[in-house]
Amino acid sequence: MTRVSDPKSLLWMVVFAAVAAGLCGCGQPAKVALADSSRDIIFRVGVSAAKDPLQAGKAAAQAAKKQIGAAPLKAVIVSECYEDKARKAKVLEGVCSVLGKENVYGGSSYGSFTQAGVMEDESVAVLAVAGKDINVRAVCQEKMGTAGLTLDKDKDKLYAALRKAGADLGGKVGKKDDSRLMIIIADAHSPKNGPLVEGIQQNLGPAFPMVGGAVNKNAGQTFVYFRGRMLNDAAVGLMLGGDFKVALAGRQAKENAKVIATARAGADEALRRLAKAKAKPAAVLAFNCAGRKGKLDNVAEELSAMQKALGKELVLFGTYNAGEIGPADVAEKTPGVLSSGMGWHVMYGVLGW
Amino acid sequence: MIRRADALLAFALVLCAAGFVAGGCGAPEAGGPAVAVRWENLTVPPATGPITHVLVRNLGNSTYRGTISVVCPASWKLNRTSASVTVRPRQTARVPFAIERGTNAESNSYPVRIEAAGNGRPVRRTQTIVCASAPYFKPQIDGKLDDWGAAIPATFVTGGKKTVIRTYWSRQNLSLMVAVEEAALHPPGAQPAAAGADAVQIAISPRNAKTPSHHACPPGRGGSATSAGAKARRYEFLLAAAGKQPGGKCFALIAPGQKLSLAQKARPLAGLELPGAQVAVVRKGGVTYYECSIPLKAMGSIRAAPGREICLSVLVHDGDGTGLRDWGEAAGLWPQQRNRLAWCLWQGAKWPKDPPFDNKIEWGFCSSKD
């Protein structure tokens, strides 16, 4: 082994290492080339943490609306974490008052994250999907039959109800030639999201791209939103179609350092897969686990890690959930199955062309 | 003339003697276990597939190298059942095991076994761990006790009497219900002569907080110095019945930043009432129920969210019955974790000869018990 005894040599090595680190951009957000304007497909995000939930809903919706301009609005996804039904209803009212309730979907979450930062306290994030080159078909499966059933006592009955609900949801939405991605928001926390997804796949097939999240399961805080209505025991499916590509990735972690590392690794993989399909990203959806967030010493570090892969310009709409849908990061994956209902995951869906 | 071999032998003998002397306070008795082991309680329900940890404390003066083997409940599947471990002297390793498939037991009671095979003879321990976690809920603190069905009960028995701890969290409050099986209730000020008063003492801290040791060994000799200037890193409260049922009070005994020497004075409780706390204490069927909501605003360094962890422990004072009941004992803390700096003295309490266990015991927040 060579011993460095010369201080000058040591100094040059330090300088070289610093330059190399700077060049490789290890610590910096990535510079990501974005999809061009050849498609009239727009994703824009608005956020608000106003104390008044009605004003918050309006502000977030107005921010998104302003950004989409005259592009035809196709769908709005809401992620909010105001406390209790009355305040949640006001948020929804605020969003619907600006964007029209017929377009509004989503659910209660544990918080959201966008390029503007992480929002854990009472807040709302809104994703507006617009443009004439994207279509969105929305379906809802109400009364899934899970209310009052528990995993401990009624597992078989519960799972059967969820599979059936999923099959019905998948059957309602169906798949068309230009269908590209199904977003699912459901009152089905992990592991219940597993059979729900299996049910959906009975109609859409195991390899169809799906991402999504389970809504907040805190007592009194569980709501799925469908065209302005607040529902329990329900699942919403949004089928996005058009001339664009989709790439998915999922990562699991349960400890601080791994949560941060996997957040970047998952985002990296999703972008790599999209690049392999010869597309540049226009937007990324991230359905993240509230439990992962709970393990972070500093919640901002996970977002920073994502930005090292995604950059700071790509539209990012992220939510914290009680279960996630997407590619499972497990050793024993079922061959041929792209998406599963999991826990402790961050699931990425990147869209582009 | 002294031969070189003899000189080397003499030198080696001197080194051995020096090492023996330098072993210092707290060195295990010759032939004692090389390590102490403990399986931590879960902080979220096992069905969510969390990581669980086994603690391995090296009790000796040389590095411990061994294998930790574990046995979990039959309905669980862990990612591994053994792990190699290297622990430096007087250090504690925290060995993770991921629960790949877990099930929740209604009893919230999970029998586990640990074996550490390494230096010296194997160390084995059987424990019953629990899910020590607070689901999200906003109970009414009214003595009716009908809001606690969604909580996860942590039960332990002392002297044949049961204590059950239930907790909830919300954005505003940390709520607890401690059910104490006891023959009679004698609150502070109303206890029989020579008996201690009945009350429940609670300590809550951030997860990474540590209690300074009360051991007298100087630093570097196997212990930590007691420091009169050491500051508390916990919030500590006393719940006691007051007036007619369901009357009760919550006294704030110490908060982070206050000197730990305060903990060693048996202060009167008057004037320590915590503003904003709600307490109800009732007796039903041989059990005293202490219900309480403590505003999170009074505990600024505690952030409640699903998946987050804190330290939480409970002492139950049953002055005319079992004496002191200690969650630390039920959680399986080691004898050397008894610490008189860990809990505040107060007027009316009667304390056993041995100090109670440290209050820094894992507890978590979760969304729901299912």
Side-chain angles (χ1 to χ4, degrees):
Chain A
M1 191 170 87
T2 305
R3 272 180 43 194
V4 179
S5 52
D6 177 8
K8 270 193 194 163
S9 303
L10 189 58
L11 184 60
W12 276 113
M13 282 167 66
V14 168
V15 167
F16 176 74
V19 168
L23 284 174
C24 82
C26 299
Q28 301 300 316
K31 294 263 186 265
V32 172
L34 303 180
D36 59 26
S37 56
S38 59
R39 313 279 198 282
D40 185 22
I41 299 176
I42 301 168
F43 298 89
R44 292 294 184 266
V45 173
V47 301
S48 176
K51 242 186 142 46
D52 182 324
L54 180 67
Q55 295 311 315
K58 282 184 178 174
Q62 279 159 356
K65 185 177 181 181
K66 190 174 173 189
Q67 294 174 75
I68 65 171
L73 182 66
K74 297 300 174 70
V76 177
I77 303 178
V78 173
S79 163
E80 63 73 35
C81 57
Y82 282 78
E83 184 114 359
D84 295 334
K85 188 175 182 182
R87 288 174 75 72
K88 290 176 182 306
K90 283 293 178 191
V91 175
L92 198 58
E93 184 187 333
V95 173
C96 293
S97 72
V98 173
L99 294 170
K101 70 176 181 185
E102 65 280 4
N103 298 312
V104 176
Y105 312 98
S108 56
S109 64
Y110 297 90
S112 314
F113 53 99
T114 67
Q115 295 287 8
V118 176
M119 300 188 298
E120 288 189 274
D121 296 324
E122 285 192 319
S123 57
V124 54
V126 155
L127 174 71
V129 182
K132 56 181 175 46
D133 291 337
I134 188 167
N135 59 75
V136 181
R137 287 180 294 112
V139 292
C140 181
Q141 186 63 26
E142 296 185 49
K143 296 185 176 65
M144 294 196 293
T146 66
L149 300 181
T150 65
L151 280 163
D152 292 344
K153 297 192 174 113
D154 314 296
K155 186 178 172 185
D156 291 344
K157 194 172 169 189
L158 186 54
Y159 276 30
L162 287 160
R163 279 193 190 96
K164 181 172 183 316
D168 290 345
L169 188 75
K172 277 183 202 176
V173 75
K175 214 169 43 172
K176 298 191 174 178
D177 287 345
D178 70 347
S179 296
R180 295 288 176 265
L181 174 69
M182 172 92 146
I183 299 170
I184 301 154
I185 295 160
D187 178 5
H189 65 77
S190 172
K192 298 194 291 187
N193 52 356
L196 179 72
V197 169
E198 287 165 13
I200 297 171
Q201 287 166 335
Q202 287 176 24
N203 278 300
L204 299 189
F208 189 79
M210 294 194 281
V211 282
V215 296
N216 188 322
K217 64 172 182 163
N218 289 354
Q221 315 301 311
T222 308
F223 297 100
V224 170
Y225 304 134
F226 185 76
R227 293 186 178 139
R229 295 163 61 211
M230 300 175 74
L231 303 168
N232 304 126
D233 194 25
V236 165
L238 301 174
M239 181 64 87
L240 275 58
D243 184 15
F244 57 89
K245 303 222 166 114
V246 165
L248 308 186
R251 286 291 188 278
Q252 179 180 185
K254 303 176 184 181
E255 293 176 298
N256 180 70
K258 287 183 181 165
V259 167
I260 295 165
T262 55
R264 181 174 181 175
D268 268 333
E269 182 189 337
L271 286 184
R272 266 203 317 275
R273 286 181 179 274
L274 193 73
K276 219 170 155 185
K278 301 202 179 357
K280 293 196 173 76
V284 57
L285 310 175
F287 294 92
N288 204 346
C289 176
R292 283 171 59 105
K293 177 164 74 79
K295 295 304 174 193
L296 289 167
D297 297 331
N298 176 354
V299 294
E301 285 188 308
E302 192 192 23
L303 176 61
S304 291
M306 289 180 189
Q307 288 168 327
K308 288 189 175 84
L310 302 173
K312 287 190 158 188
E313 307 303 320
L314 179 58
V315 171
L316 167 63
F317 179 75
T319 69
Y320 294 108
N321 306 276
E324 304 75 48
I325 295 168
D329 180 21
V330 294
E332 294 159 9
K333 280 174 73 157
T334 309
V337 173
L338 177 55
S339 294
S340 305
M342 306 298 296
W344 297 100
H345 274 63
V346 57
M347 302 295 198
Y348 294 101
V350 183
L351 301 88
W353 50 88
Chain B
M1 187 161 132
I2 299 169
R3 292 183 310 161
R4 175 178 279 188
D6 292 337
L8 280 172
L9 178 60
F11 181 64
L13 285 170
V14 166
L15 274 182
C16 286
F20 181 75
V21 168
C25 304
E29 292 176 15
V35 291
V37 293
R38 175 179 164 253
W39 199 313
E40 289 187 332
N41 288 317
L42 301 169
T43 56
V44 289
T48 62
I51 292 182
T52 183
H53 293 90
V54 171
L55 301 177
V56 183
R57 170 90 179 162
N58 184 350
L59 301 175
N61 298 318
S62 57
T63 298
Y64 176 85
R65 289 186 180 83
T67 301
I68 305 301
S69 303
V70 297
V71 177
C72 65
S75 59
W76 294 5
K77 179 177 180 290
L78 302 180
N79 67 330
R80 57 181 182 173
T81 54
S82 66
S84 300
V85 64
T86 301
V87 192
R88 286 160 60 175
R90 312 294 167 189
Q91 299 301 307
T92 303
R94 193 163 177 250
V95 186
F97 294 87
I99 300 176
E100 289 182 344
R101 188 187 64 238
T103 53
N104 299 337
E106 199 161 337
S107 63
N108 191 26
S109 169
Y110 304 97
V112 294
R113 276 204 326 266
I114 311 163
E115 180 176 294
N119 307 2
R121 64 175 189 271
V123 171
R124 297 185 182 93
R125 186 172 190 185
T126 299
Q127 279 179 255
T128 300
I129 64 170
V130 303
C131 173
S133 193
Y136 180 96
F137 198 85
K138 296 181 199 179
Q140 293 293 318
I141 306 300
D142 53 12
K144 289 185 184 160
L145 313 176
D146 51 0
D147 285 343
W148 294 90
I152 303 172
T155 304
F156 64 107
V157 176
T158 311
K161 299 289 187 185
K162 202 160 44 166
T163 304
V164 186
I165 306 167
R166 291 179 173 88
T167 52
Y168 285 134
W169 71 277
S170 71
R171 277 205 163 110
Q172 294 78 29
N173 294 304
L174 177 63
S175 302
L176 297 97
M177 202 257 281
V178 183
V180 178
E181 184 189 4
E182 58 183 348
L185 172 63
H186 300 292
Q191 68 269 28
D198 295 337
V200 168
Q201 203 162 343
I202 302 160
I204 299 160
S205 321
R207 185 67 172 102
N208 58 357
K210 300 261 183 287
T211 311
S213 170
H214 71 283
H215 291 302
C217 286
R221 298 292 301 276
S224 306
T226 302
S227 166
K231 302 266 174 76
R233 290 199 63 195
R234 65 181 185 265
Y235 302 92
E236 191 176 341
F237 306 99
L238 190 79
L239 308 181
K244 260 175 51 171
Q245 287 191 34
K249 286 190 179 177
C250 176
F251 302 98
L253 299 178
I254 205 166
Q258 290 185 289
K259 282 192 180 170
L260 272 179
S261 52
L262 195 63
Q264 301 307 294
K265 299 176 190 161
R267 290 173 294 158
L269 295 173
L272 298 181
E273 289 88 339
L274 178 69
Q278 298 173 280
V279 184
V281 183
V282 293
R283 286 274 302 164
K284 285 182 185 173
V287 179
T288 305
Y289 296 91
Y290 295 81
E291 239 189 342
C292 172
S293 277
I294 300 170
L296 284 171
K297 276 187 189 162
M299 298 187 283
S301 55
I302 303 297
R303 267 195 76 90
R308 284 207 191 283
E309 295 182 355
I310 55 172
C311 294
L312 187 149
S313 188
V314 172
L315 296 180
V316 172
H317 295 265
D318 178 15
D320 60 344
T322 60
L324 195 70
R325 305 179 198 180
D326 191 338
W327 173 244
E329 183 169 20
L333 266 59
W334 304 309
Q336 59 266 41
Q337 287 180 287
R338 289 186 180 279
N339 191 340
R340 60 179 169 77
L341 296 180
W343 295 93
C344 289
L345 304 179
W346 47 276
Q347 276 186 10
K350 189 174 170 192
W351 297 90
K353 187 169 62 75
D354 289 332
F357 284 95
D358 191 12
N359 58 68
K360 304 296 186 292
I361 306 175
E362 62 282 352
W363 206 275
F365 299 113
C366 63
S367 236
S368 67
K369 72 173 182 180
D370 296 316

